[in-house]
Amino acid sequence: MLKVSSYVENPSCLWGRFVKGPGIEAVENKKEYDDLQMKMNLFYHEVNLNVQKIKPSTIEVGQVCVVYWSALRSWCRAIVESLFLGTVGTQAMCFLVDHGERVIVSSDEIRALLDKFLQLPFWVRKFQLAGVHPMTLQVSGDCLEKAELIPSTQWDSSICVNDDLVSKKFAYFTSQKAHQTSGKNGVDRSPAVLACDIFSETQNFLATDGCTVRSLSDFPLRQQDPIVHNQGECTFSYCEVFIKNSLLLDRTQEFVFTEQPTIEEELVCARLLQLLNPDPLNPDIIHTDPSRSGIVVHSAFTLDPCTSLANAPITDTFRRILMRKKYAGPSLAESYCWPAVARGCDTVLISHSGDQPLTYIPPFLAHMQLSSVFSALSSRTGPIAVILCPGWEKAQTVIDLLEESQTVQVLHPMVILLGLGKDEAKTVKIQNNCQVVVTTPFSLVRLLRLHCFLFLRLCHLALDEVDLLFSRAPDEMTTILQHFQRVTASEERVSCPRQIIAVGKRWSRHLEGLLHNHMSNPTVVVTVMEEAALYGNVHQIILLCLDCTKTSVLLGVLDFTPDVAQKTLVITNSAEEAEHVFKAVSNTSAFSLKAHEELTYQFDSVTEQWKKPIGPGTHVILVTTNECMKSLGICDATCVVHYGFPSSPKLFGSRLFCMSQNFQNLSDKTCSGRRLSVLLLSERNARHVIGVLRYLKRTEASLPPELLHFAQGVLRAKEEQKSDRPLCSYLKSFGFCRDSSVCSYRHSIRPITDQPLQPDSGTIVVLPLFIKTASVYYGRIVSKKEDSYESLAAEMTTYYATEKLGAKEVLEGGLYGVQEDEVYHRVRVTSVPDKGEWIFYSVRALFLDEGREQEVKSHQLLQLPAQFHILPPQALEIIVCRAMPIDAEVKWNPKVTRAISQKIKGLQHQAKVVLCLGNTVFVDPMVRMTRLPGLKTFINEYNVHAEILSTGMGTSNPQHLDLLKELCQGAGPGASAGEAPLTTG
């Protein structure tokens, strides 16, 4: 049997909780509800919450909500039972569904209940005694001496269990048949004995639903409902009886009741009522103050964010385009950035979406088209705006978006990408009606050297992925900004607009110089909290210690007699850790406070004391946990101590944001106050070291040498985990990887894995068949003697000329034949889609003797006899050494690859092998040799390396081979290449 703990209103209304029974663990059950209570308190107690956003739009009887219960000092789930007009306005009687209590609250104190707090069923249930009904004493009006007990609709205040109620004449028993007969004459008042046979079948249970009496046989049992046997005395089934959140009880000494309803059934009513709210709550966007959303917005003027496309400062054309794309924005970053850009203000945006052109393009185009800049500068020619991109690939993305935005007829945008050719810049023609040029810093500087007069109308400079622009082309960016400053500072340009837009994902010191030297009254928006701390110039201190000495190190770093007022936040990772630290700091001269998940009822008092003004020499220390930071809403701390290590950059940033009021403000060139971050690193934080070091290096903090040495060891260990991964393609192509710490491929040589499968020296004749990039090809080695592949190709042609059978079954990894024109190829299927009911479909196939991989229609696959499996795949990778893209690019421009492909594909070349790793040969040089007609003399028609450089999009990479050989010489468990060395800053 199940047992419940309850309190009683009357025998028809007993409120209780399950404490024991089949499938019920009381301790686990209580922990779940305690956790729910804690999470609700943390959320609704958050001091930065916009209360108006979490109030229900309407309050109705039966509505599910959240109210504050002063007796427990906690936020609780409740149902509104009644509304009435009190002395201080509308008040509500609310029933606390997890506590079984009723409270009266003001309607202004009611909060909406979020879906995430509805995952557990209400903890208390309504029970009622089965088979007993109330009686009352009726006195005859004409004779006061005559009185009798009759059935009643209400219970007297006396309460007892079934047997006692009947024996004391407070109740009577009824059978199902008798209860269905109306009037007192039809009532069977026999003092029936409560024998076990009344439980023998489910139809003996009665459930009430309003005034209707139902047999439980009306409620079908679920298949999973257990059959419970009670020591062989009585047998009954737990049924699905759930009517208006009421459960049926029979025998109160040993409560017998139906099975607890499922969560889905429990929440049906609650969810229906929740849907009555016409403005569904989203806890992530309920803040209106940007600081409450964890972002920094520094602006010289009041910035009203746009909250929807309907009120966004963009053109109707662009609005329709975004709606067609089902664009979900504007995002939090765009809601603040778009208004500033549309007003023509200098703007800096640092956001996770900072690499997306939509963060600035829509309002930028609107401002361009609606401003009067055209008439003001009509006497000159040349673009009015330049959009700088970090590479050719991003430039192409931006120009595609501009063309899609239907601004071509008005702004006539064009993309300009220049190589290193001598006369390339001279031949550039910019149309007279071109208003917007999309280019890269390197290309623009080449243009300015010869055509600076074409950029005298510049009014707008947009820096796309500004962090990459400064890191890859710092000198070029300096030249461009100086030119922009000169042309916009002339007296004749006083009435013309002037705007710089800088958008990126990361803050850098270069941006500080951009704001100070080239922007006027800028708007700064930073939506990434860890980047906001970099912008705010938080000073970082890293202390190494053993985990057992963290407390003493903490006490040693704190200044208990400061010259100026200090507010220090010590953040731990658990309530137990917070109590331990608080005990230590409370013994000092500092004024100490604590707040963690188990003390939510003290949050108001803690925040009140924290906010009190303090004078010089006072040090307030608050010890708290990660979970409580939002609830406390602190943003004026002067120091944050990371006693518990932050497990992610986001958590690290949220901690640092507790000092946001003291961040430097580069919009008005002010610095609000002190801001210090102290990170305690112990041996338990080893797996997080690389991530935090990557961030701390950008702060220019002094890093302990021991930490750097340890980090190098962690990097080597991580490289070890990539032993089964392919060798990094950038490492092979250029000798280095741009960022091996985040690259998922291998950067170390493995003697077994990379054992040469092709000649590692000497001269060979190669036939390039698939041109992957300008310097990487796939093809075959052509033998001067007997060519095995040529013999195989001839045999396949003969075979398929007489018998061409289609593949019976297409399997991943299977070998098949494919015909292209008159040539037959061997292929291996690398992936097969889930074809479902499709008859025709395509598969991905690798051409074993050419190296290319492409889509092939399944019905084109031919059976490949076993004799054609014997010859190993003939394709190998060929890399031309000492060539790389210009302008710090890591990808070749497609027009370079296209030009080289047209030049060398399908033609035999003589190449000198200088290195071989696995199936990859590195050649230097690779030349096309042509025999003179009628003579035995050969001449070098061209050198592939020289051809790459002649396109103007390639440059020499003299360190390529040296880096690869160095990598091979250090081959072993710890050898790696392309790693950016960790320095002390």
Side-chain angles (χ1 to χ4, degrees):
M1 288 187 178
L2 296 177
K3 291 186 177 181
V4 299
S5 63
S6 64
Y7 84 93
V8 179
E9 289 187 14
N10 58 59
S12 292
C13 185
L14 292 81
W15 295 102
R17 297 172 177 168
F18 295 113
V19 296
K20 185 179 179 181
I24 295 179
E25 294 293 339
V27 175
E28 293 181 4
N29 200 39
K30 183 178 185 305
K31 184 178 185 304
E32 289 181 353
Y33 283 94
D34 288 344
D35 289 343
L36 172 66
Q37 197 76 57
M38 180 266 293
K39 292 176 181 177
M40 288 175 59
N41 281 325
L42 289 175
F43 177 80
Y44 290 101
H45 204 93
E46 185 179 339
V47 295
N48 287 329
L49 274 182
N50 186 335
V51 176
Q52 297 303 319
K53 287 287 186 177
I54 59 172
K55 281 187 176 181
S57 57
T58 59
I59 300 177
E60 300 176 359
V61 174
Q63 186 169 348
V64 184
C65 61
V66 177
V67 298
Y68 186 76
W69 187 20
S70 57
L72 193 61
R73 286 187 284 185
S74 177
W75 290 92
C76 305
R77 301 189 296 181
I79 293 179
V80 178
E81 289 190 335
S82 63
L83 296 169
F84 56 91
L85 190 61
T87 58
V88 292
T90 303
Q91 293 184 299
M93 172 74 77
C94 297
F95 180 75
L96 306 182
V97 295
D98 296 318
H99 303 278
E101 298 283 351
R102 287 183 172 84
V103 295
I104 297 177
V105 297
S106 169
S107 59
D108 290 335
E109 297 174 351
I110 295 178
R111 305 288 184 264
L113 181 63
L114 303 185
D115 275 351
K116 65 180 180 180
F117 300 133
L118 280 171
Q119 301 306 312
L120 289 178
F122 302 149
W123 202 4
V124 297
R125 298 289 195 276
K126 181 180 180 181
F127 303 92
Q128 66 184 51
L129 299 180
V132 294
H133 301 275
M135 296 186 68
T136 188
L137 185 65
Q138 184 183 59
V139 180
S140 174
D142 54 353
C143 183
L144 296 179
E145 295 179 356
K146 293 183 179 179
E148 63 176 333
L149 290 170
I150 63 172
S152 173
T153 59
Q154 296 181 347
W155 289 92
D156 289 343
S157 59
S158 299
I159 303 301
C160 192
V161 294
N162 304 34
D163 298 355
D164 290 339
L165 288 169
V166 174
S167 64
K168 294 179 181 179
K169 302 293 184 177
F170 287 108
Y172 65 94
F173 285 106
T174 63
S175 64
Q176 177 180 353
K177 179 178 179 180
H179 186 77
Q180 290 173 342
T181 305
S182 60
K184 66 178 182 179
N185 295 331
V187 174
D188 179 8
R189 302 185 188 179
S190 308
V193 179
L194 294 180
C196 288
D197 60 354
I198 70 168
F199 300 100
S200 60
E201 292 183 4
T202 59
Q203 60 263 28
N204 288 334
F205 289 88
L206 296 182
T208 62
D209 182 9
C211 296
T212 306
V213 179
R214 295 183 182 176
S215 167
L216 291 193
S217 59
D218 295 338
F219 298 91
L221 291 176
R222 298 174 300 175
Q223 291 183 355
Q224 65 268 31
D225 286 341
I227 303 298
V228 179
H229 300 272
N230 185 19
Q231 298 179 353
E233 298 178 357
C234 55
T235 303
F236 61 95
S237 299
Y238 289 112
C239 307
E240 193 76 8
V241 183
F242 176 66
I243 304 168
K244 295 184 179 178
N245 200 31
S246 298
L247 292 175
L248 182 67
L249 275 74
D250 209 334
R251 301 188 72 186
T252 56
Q253 292 176 349
E254 294 286 338
F255 287 128
V256 179
F257 47 92
T258 59
E259 184 186 13
Q260 176 179 347
T262 63
I263 293 178
E264 289 77 7
E265 294 163 329
E266 171 75 6
L267 298 179
V268 167
C269 180
R271 293 189 183 281
L272 286 176
L273 292 171
Q274 194 75 30
L275 291 175
L276 295 176
N277 184 358
D279 184 19
L281 289 178
N282 183 348
D284 296 327
I285 57 172
I286 59 179
H287 299 140
T288 54
D289 182 356
S291 64
R292 293 178 178 176
S293 300
I295 68 174
V296 167
V297 178
H298 288 167
S299 180
F301 60 91
T302 302
L303 199 63
D304 295 325
C306 61
T307 56
S308 66
L309 279 179
N311 65 359
I314 62 178
T315 63
D316 290 337
T317 300
F318 217 123
R319 186 176 289 107
R320 286 193 294 269
I321 292 172
L322 293 177
M323 292 175 66
R324 266 200 313 271
K325 289 185 174 183
K326 297 182 179 179
Y327 178 66
S331 65
L332 187 62
E334 293 157 359
S335 65
Y336 286 96
C337 178
W338 283 8
V341 172
R343 293 176 63 167
C345 300
D346 288 341
T347 306
V348 174
L349 170 67
I350 302 299
S351 167
H352 284 306
S353 58
D355 58 344
Q356 301 299 318
L358 285 178
T359 55
Y360 69 94
I361 288 288
F364 176 62
L365 295 181
H367 179 66
M368 286 278 294
Q369 296 180 73
L370 299 177
S371 67
S372 58
V373 67
F374 299 103
S375 58
L377 297 173
S378 58
S379 60
R380 291 179 177 171
T381 60
I384 293 173
V386 168
I387 300 177
L388 286 180
C389 300
W392 64 264
E393 201 168 21
K394 187 57 177 294
Q396 190 60 52
T397 300
V398 170
I399 196 67
D400 290 344
L401 180 60
L402 294 180
E403 292 175 352
E404 186 183 4
S405 66
Q406 302 178 18
T407 60
V408 176
Q409 297 81 1
V410 179
L411 301 178
H412 305 280
M414 64 180 297
V415 62
I416 300 178
L417 298 172
L418 297 181
L420 298 176
K422 293 181 180 179
D423 299 327
E424 204 165 341
K426 294 181 181 179
T427 59
V428 171
K429 300 293 183 183
I430 300 179
Q431 301 172 358
N432 291 337
N433 57 1
C434 173
Q435 309 297 326
V436 181
V437 166
V438 182
T439 185
T440 66
F442 299 95
S443 294
L444 182 56
V445 167
R446 293 179 192 124
L447 271 177
L448 290 175
R449 288 171 183 164
L450 292 176
H451 301 295
C452 63
F453 58 89
L454 293 178
F455 294 90
L456 298 179
R457 287 211 308 169
L458 272 185
C459 295
H460 306 273
L461 185 60
L463 309 179
D464 192 295
E465 294 191 75
V466 63
D467 46 328
L468 296 183
L469 293 176
F470 278 111
S471 64
R472 297 180 184 179
D475 296 336
E476 287 74 14
M477 290 301 299
T478 299
T479 301
I480 292 168
L481 289 170
Q482 288 174 351
H483 173 82
F484 184 77
Q485 191 169 25
R486 282 195 302 268
V487 299
T488 56
S490 60
E491 294 183 2
E492 61 181 0
R493 299 287 299 274
V494 174
S495 61
C496 297
R498 179 192 181 281
Q499 182 183 35
I500 298 179
I501 304 167
V503 178
K505 298 181 70 172
R506 304 172 75 183
W507 177 263
S508 70
R509 291 297 181 191
H510 294 99
L511 288 176
E512 189 168 343
L514 176 68
L515 282 160
H516 275 298
N517 303 323
H518 300 282
M519 290 188 169
S520 176
N521 297 323
T523 294
V524 181
V525 180
V526 187
T527 65
V528 185
M529 286 187 285
E530 56 268 32
E531 300 300 323
L534 288 173
Y535 160 78
N537 196 24
V538 174
H539 182 57
Q540 300 282 350
I541 295 179
I542 303 94
L543 298 177
L544 298 180
C545 61
L546 296 175
D547 193 72
C548 59
T549 63
K550 282 172 65 175
T551 304
S552 60
V553 172
L554 167 67
L555 296 177
V557 77
L558 295 176
D559 183 4
F560 298 109
T561 57
D563 297 332
V564 296
Q566 288 192 25
K567 289 185 173 183
T568 297
L569 201 60
V570 181
I571 304 178
T572 64
N573 285 336
S574 67
E576 294 78 11
E577 200 172 59
E579 288 286 352
H580 169 73
V581 174
F582 177 76
K583 183 178 180 180
V585 299
S586 61
N587 293 327
T588 67
S589 60
F591 180 69
S592 305
L593 299 168
K594 65 178 177 179
H596 54 74
E597 296 87 329
E598 298 173 6
L599 302 174
T600 54
Y601 58 89
Q602 294 183 357
F603 280 7
D604 287 339
S605 174
V606 170
T607 53
E608 181 181 351
Q609 294 181 71
W610 175 272
K611 291 180 179 179
K612 289 181 179 179
I614 59 177
T618 304
H619 195 168
V620 179
I621 299 177
L622 171 57
V623 183
T624 187
T625 63
N626 297 312
E627 297 293 335
C628 297
M629 287 190 298
K630 279 189 175 182
S631 298
L632 297 172
I634 292 174
C635 55
D636 61 343
T638 60
C639 176
V640 170
V641 179
H642 308 271
Y643 188 89
F645 193 83
S647 58
S648 68
K650 183 177 180 180
L651 179 58
F652 191 43
S654 65
R655 292 177 172 186
L656 299 179
F657 205 80
C658 293
M659 299 181 282
S660 59
Q661 279 190 6
N662 294 316
F663 285 175
Q664 68 175 353
N665 186 337
L666 295 181
S667 178
D668 58 9
K669 315 297 190 294
T670 62
C671 183
S672 300
R674 298 184 56 178
R675 49 208 172 271
L676 177 66
S677 169
V678 180
L679 180 64
L680 303 182
L681 273 172
S682 73
E683 71 278 9
R684 293 189 176 184
N685 313 132
R687 61 193 181 99
H688 298 295
V689 164
I690 297 301
V692 74
L693 273 184
R694 192 180 299 120
Y695 177 81
L696 292 174
K697 282 176 61 179
R698 298 170 54 209
T699 68
E700 301 181 1
S702 177
L703 303 178
E706 302 89 348
L707 182 60
L708 296 173
H709 178 73
F710 178 75
Q712 293 290 0
V714 175
L715 283 175
R716 287 192 292 270
K718 285 191 172 184
E719 187 62 38
E720 281 289 314
Q721 298 174 358
K722 303 177 185 177
S723 59
D724 59 341
R725 300 285 294 163
L727 195 60
C728 173
S729 60
Y730 292 110
L731 182 64
K732 292 192 293 184
S733 299
F734 310 125
F736 61 88
C737 176
R738 174 157 282 176
D739 192 351
S740 62
S741 62
V742 296
C743 178
S744 61
Y745 292 96
R746 179 165 52 93
H747 302 87
S748 59
I749 299 298
R750 301 288 170 181
I752 297 178
T753 306
D754 299 315
Q755 183 178 4
L757 301 177
Q758 304 294 343
D760 58 358
S761 63
T763 301
I764 59 176
V765 177
V766 295
L767 181 65
L769 297 170
F770 169 58
I771 312 304
K772 183 178 180 181
T773 71
S775 62
V776 179
Y777 328 124
Y778 285 87
R780 295 195 302 270
I781 295 178
V782 180
S783 175
K784 295 180 179 179
K785 300 178 181 179
E786 181 181 358
D787 194 321
S788 301
Y789 175 76
E790 292 297 337
S791 301
L792 174 70
E795 293 176 11
M796 291 176 62
T797 301
T798 302
Y799 172 81
Y800 285 119
T802 58
E803 189 170 6
K804 191 182 298 183
L805 300 177
K808 294 181 180 179
E809 187 178 9
V810 179
L811 300 174
E812 185 173 324
L815 299 182
Y816 305 92
V818 170
Q819 181 181 5
E820 285 186 348
D821 297 328
E822 301 301 323
V823 181
Y824 293 91
H825 303 273
R826 300 184 300 169
V827 300
R828 178 190 297 117
V829 174
T830 57
S831 65
V832 179
D834 184 9
K835 53 184 180 294
E837 301 297 328
W838 296 349
I839 300 177
F840 301 102
Y841 58 94
S842 296
V843 299
R844 194 79 181 168
L846 173 66
F847 286 68
L848 299 179
D849 304 308
E850 292 191 2
R852 59 189 164 104
E853 188 175 353
Q854 66 182 47
E855 297 284 338
V856 174
K857 291 183 174 57
S858 60
H859 63 270
Q860 292 179 323
L861 297 177
L862 305 173
Q863 294 182 24
L864 187 70
Q867 66 265 28
F868 299 140
H869 296 191
I870 300 175
L871 184 68
Q874 296 296 291
L876 74 155
E877 186 180 29
I878 307 163
I879 296 180
V880 175
C881 295
R882 298 185 302 106
M884 63 187 297
I886 62 172
D887 302 342
E889 298 272 9
V890 292
K891 291 185 178 180
W892 288 99
N893 192 301
K895 70 178 184 180
V896 186
T897 301
R898 188 163 48 249
I900 297 301
S901 178
Q902 294 171 353
K903 192 86 174 180
I904 71 173
K905 185 177 180 179
L907 300 177
Q908 293 185 8
H909 292 72
Q910 197 170 71
K912 181 181 179 181
V913 179
V914 293
L915 181 66
C916 180
L917 296 174
N919 198 40
T920 302
V921 293
F922 299 83
V923 298
D924 187 19
M926 175 176 167
V927 297
R928 167 66 174 164
M929 300 186 68
T930 304
R931 182 176 179 177
L932 293 176
L935 300 175
K936 295 183 178 180
T937 304
F938 289 84
I939 62 171
N940 292 344
E941 186 175 339
Y942 58 80
N943 184 309
V944 177
H945 180 270
E947 290 297 313
I948 295 174
L949 269 56
S950 67
T951 63
M953 292 293 180
T955 187
S956 182
N957 179 17
Q959 294 183 331
H960 185 190
L961 192 57
D962 293 337
L963 290 172
L964 290 174
K965 288 183 177 180
E966 182 181 343
L967 182 66
C968 293
Q969 290 171 359
S976 61
E979 295 176 358
L982 291 170
T983 64
T984 57

